Amino acid sequence: MKAERRRKLSEWLVTLPSFLWLLLLFLVPTALVFAIMFKPATPYGGIGEGWTLATLRTLGNPNYPAIVARTLWLSVAATALCILLATPMGYYMARVSPARRRLVLLLVILPFWTSFLVRIFAWKVLLHPEGMLKHGLVLLGLIAPETSLLYNAYAVLLVMVYTELPFAILPIYAASEKFDFRLIEAAKDLGATSFLAFRKIFLPGIRVGLLTAFLMVFIPSLGSYVIPDIVGGPTSEMIGNKIAQRTFVDRNLPHAAGLSALLTVAVLIPMVAITALRRKESPKDALREEGV
Amino acid sequence: MKPSRLPLIVTWAVIAFFYVPIVILVANSFNSSRFGGSWESTSLKWYVRLMNEPSIWHALTNTLAIATAATLISMVLGTSAAFALHRFAGSKLQKLHYSIIYTPLVLPEILMGLSMLLFFVALKVQLGLATIAVAHVTFCLSYVAMTVLARLQDFDFAIIEAAQDLGAGWWTTVWKVLLPMLAPGILAGGLLAFTLSIDDFVISFFVAGPGSTTLPIKIYSMIKYGAPPLINALSTILLAITFLCVIASQYLSNRGRPAA
């Protein structure tokens, strides 16, 4: 009895510091977003007294459905492309020699550690109207000199894939590494083609990795803001850009909170769905995968 | 049947895709032409200009101060969190604890940025270096906790019991046995926190106040409002530093582990 109480006490003691910190600085502020969207804005950019539905009404702004739709298609496309590229990479990395595998892993991790802004900027330089890529493509006659590679939705998609790809590669690689490749050989011995074995045996085998990759790419993509801000134009704005504009340009915090609340709900749906799915699949693995 | 060469081709094509923009950026930092459309001449003039830009040095000082504070605090909080998650795994409290540590890792940064801005505005806290540091601890904590937790998976708790059987008190066990054995994991987590803090733009931008410009905020305004060649030079320096840090952390987190 006494030992049990001591154990509980020490559990609380080591849990409390991080728990309280996150409760106060993560959960409370997130709840605050939902509260402040019902507050009036003051002319000086603050939060007024009383409650109002003004923000909720302005969310009916006719520009918003187009922006929400764009945010969704860009995120879906970026996630699909990342998984499409990361799956053969995971397969390759799981099958090569350990030395080669370490090299590829290091090469994948390095850009992921380098400055986010620097990587986006590198693309801005590359796609710039006076940049190298544009010159080359015009010389080859592939594009007309007046074509702009920058400031459109495809540039945003390209850079999103560039920055998110490591988040797809790592979980897919982690799952592939645990996959028993003898199963593929067995399938082939039984007459399956390489592609059939890949599709029917390998893909289901790394399902947990694919789900994690989906989560790690899709959710941050929904909240993209810097990428469309730097390489996108007015026709490629996403929800994130609107949140930033309401915060920094119009200084209407309740409105920014309303958009954030919308984004939070959009993010929580796939997150809860996938976590539940993964728990059901393999409760033990799920915990370990998340630790990657 | 011959194995498909497709995975090999995709892998190296993706790696080329990762590095081509970086290599061009680094090369351009030594090019005296403004946009690198053509190679004028090799020069260090952008580096010289960079050295004479006091606002960059000021931003760098702010960034390092924030990163140091955020790293130290998140190392303490993250390590105790990882210990709790591992030691008391399975309890209701730890399941909840795990979700509030895990969620900030996947949530878009802009949500954390805005929610913390609202929090500080509601409490009428003056925005500045301190608010940025507090915001950084909030996301760094999760990364440290996850890194240390991964390390704890191969930790043998029999050693702790052995120490206690031999008469070590609680304090001695923690200081002389547990922490030294976890040190590589804690350091790797700290290094990760430090790098993430130095690199963070979105959250910092939301909770920054007048006079608390950090390096990423400075780089962002340079990208938005001119001076591309200067950023090339600055980026090259940053790339060199991060590459060194990654190699150091790889070394730390692999040390003492069987070769993978």
Side-chain angles (χ1 to χ4, degrees):
Chain A
M1 214 41 208
K2 210 175 147 203
E4 180 58 26
R5 267 180 56 200
R6 267 190 59 178
R7 192 184 148 86
K8 262 269 155 300
L9 186 73
S10 54
E11 177 177 1
W12 275 101
L13 249 140
V14 283
T15 308
L16 226 41
S18 51
F19 196 80
L20 277 183
W21 185 287
L22 289 170
L23 185 74
L24 192 68
L25 287 148
F26 172 61
L27 283 189
V28 169
T30 303
L32 208 60
V33 168
F34 285 85
I36 286 180
M37 77 184 266
F38 297 106
K39 286 284 194 184
T42 66
Y44 310 108
I47 300 155
E49 295 292 321
W51 302 92
T52 170
L53 289 175
T55 298
L56 218 53
R57 275 194 291 271
T58 49
L59 285 182
N61 183 327
N63 291 327
Y64 285 162
I67 289 171
V68 170
R70 188 182 304 123
T71 305
L72 277 177
W73 88 253
L74 281 173
S75 306
V76 168
T79 311
L81 285 171
C82 283
I83 291 181
L84 203 67
L85 292 170
T87 309
M89 281 187 83
Y91 183 91
Y92 174 76
M93 288 158 80
R95 302 223 70 175
V96 288
S97 68
R100 178 60 58 88
R101 178 186 307 167
R102 264 201 300 277
L103 175 69
V104 174
L105 205 55
L106 186 70
L107 289 173
V108 167
I109 292 171
L110 265 176
F112 154 91
W113 279 71
T114 52
S115 164
F116 179 63
L117 286 171
V118 166
R119 278 177 294 152
I120 302 172
F121 177 70
W123 277 102
K124 188 175 177 176
V125 170
L126 204 58
L127 299 175
H128 195 275
E130 292 172 44
M132 218 179 261
L133 194 64
K134 173 81 183 286
H135 275 248
L137 290 174
V138 170
L139 274 180
L140 290 172
L142 289 172
I143 57 164
E146 63 275 11
T147 317
S148 175
L149 300 175
L150 211 51
Y151 312 124
N152 60 56
Y154 296 103
V156 174
L157 180 62
L158 176 78
V159 180
M160 277 168 83
V161 171
Y162 183 73
T163 53
E164 306 280 6
L165 201 47
F167 293 97
I169 295 170
L170 295 178
I172 289 179
Y173 157 69
S176 308
E177 202 200 6
K178 279 181 237 143
F179 179 77
D180 183 357
F181 281 91
R182 283 173 308 184
L183 292 174
I184 290 199
E185 255 121 68
K188 283 187 186 166
D189 287 346
L190 294 170
T193 61
S194 296
F195 182 66
L196 190 71
F198 179 80
R199 199 163 55 92
K200 292 269 184 183
I201 312 290
F202 182 66
L203 288 186
I206 58 161
R207 198 168 38 213
V208 177
L210 292 172
L211 284 175
T212 310
F214 176 84
L215 203 67
M216 299 289 274
V217 176
F218 185 65
I219 289 179
S221 293
L222 285 175
S224 299
Y225 140 63
V226 184
I227 296 171
D229 192 56
I230 292 177
V231 301
T235 55
S236 44
E237 284 181 328
M238 297 171 72
I239 300 181
N241 298 76
K242 285 290 159 204
I243 297 178
Q245 281 169 19
R246 296 294 164 262
T247 310
F248 302 113
V249 184
D250 325 337
R251 197 65 185 179
N252 185 332
L253 293 179
H255 200 146
L259 290 170
S260 265
L262 185 76
L263 183 57
T264 309
V265 173
V267 156
L268 283 180
I269 295 168
M271 214 167 122
V272 170
I274 296 231
T275 312
L277 203 63
R278 215 163 33 173
R279 285 265 154 76
K280 215 175 72 186
E281 290 276 331
S282 51
K284 251 172 127 187
D285 262 11
L287 272 179
R288 213 161 298 138
E289 285 297 314
E290 282 160 2
V292 171
Chain B
M1 206 186 307
K2 219 167 111 263
S4 166
R5 298 181 66 82
L6 193 67
L8 174 121
I9 296 165
V10 172
T11 303
W12 293 100
V14 164
I15 287 172
F17 171 64
F18 277 159
Y19 287 90
V20 165
I22 295 177
V23 169
I24 290 176
L25 183 90
V26 171
N28 266 329
S29 74
F30 300 104
N31 182 355
S32 57
S33 147
R34 263 183 81 79
F35 287 101
S38 56
W39 194 272
E40 279 176 12
S41 63
T42 309
S43 86
L44 290 174
K45 79 172 182 193
W46 305 118
Y47 288 89
V48 176
R49 283 268 274 296
L50 192 68
M51 296 302 146
N52 296 319
E53 189 81 40
S55 59
I56 289 179
W57 294 103
H58 183 69
L60 180 68
T61 319
N62 282 345
T63 302
L64 291 176
I66 292 167
T68 308
T71 303
L72 292 177
I73 301 172
S74 62
M75 272 164 89
V76 174
L77 293 174
T79 303
S80 73
F83 184 77
L85 287 173
H86 187 78
R87 193 76 176 112
F88 305 100
S91 82
K92 273 217 178 69
L93 178 66
Q94 295 312 321
K95 277 183 185 147
L96 189 65
H97 192 198
Y98 186 83
S99 5
I100 71 165
I101 286 177
Y102 179 63
T103 317
L105 293 174
V106 271
L107 271 197
E109 283 188 296
I110 195 165
L111 290 177
M112 259 178 111
L114 182 75
S115 66
M116 268 189 267
L117 170 68
L118 295 176
F119 180 72
F120 293 135
V121 168
L123 290 179
K124 302 201 166 55
V125 175
Q126 178 77 43
L127 298 177
L129 294 179
T131 49
I132 302 179
V134 166
H136 283 196
V137 172
T138 312
F139 70 83
C140 287
L141 193 172
S142 303
Y143 285 95
V144 176
M146 289 300 173
T147 314
V148 179
L149 187 62
R151 190 75 196 188
L152 275 166
Q153 308 288 7
D154 349 306
F155 188 79
D156 185 2
F157 271 89
I159 294 168
I160 298 276
E161 276 145 37
Q164 281 166 343
D165 286 347
L166 292 171
W170 182 82
W171 192 245
T172 318
T173 316
V174 168
W175 274 107
K176 298 263 165 158
V177 183
L178 189 63
L179 286 181
M181 290 193 73
L182 288 180
I186 299 172
L187 277 178
L191 211 49
L192 179 60
F194 194 75
T195 319
L196 290 167
S197 169
I198 285 187
D199 189 33
D200 178 74
F201 165 68
V202 177
I203 295 176
S204 311
F205 194 48
F206 273 85
V207 297
S212 60
T213 302
T214 64
L215 199 57
I217 296 177
K218 179 73 191 159
I219 295 176
Y220 174 79
S221 69
M222 284 164 81
I223 293 176
K224 285 293 269 193
Y225 314 105
L230 280 188
I231 319 169
N232 285 337
L234 182 57
S235 306
T236 303
I237 296 172
L238 289 179
L239 285 168
I241 296 170
T242 16
F243 279 30
L244 288 176
C245 282
V246 173
I247 290 160
S249 89
Q250 288 280 314
Y251 173 75
L252 278 176
S253 53
N254 285 334
R255 205 171 57 171
R257 277 196 169 180

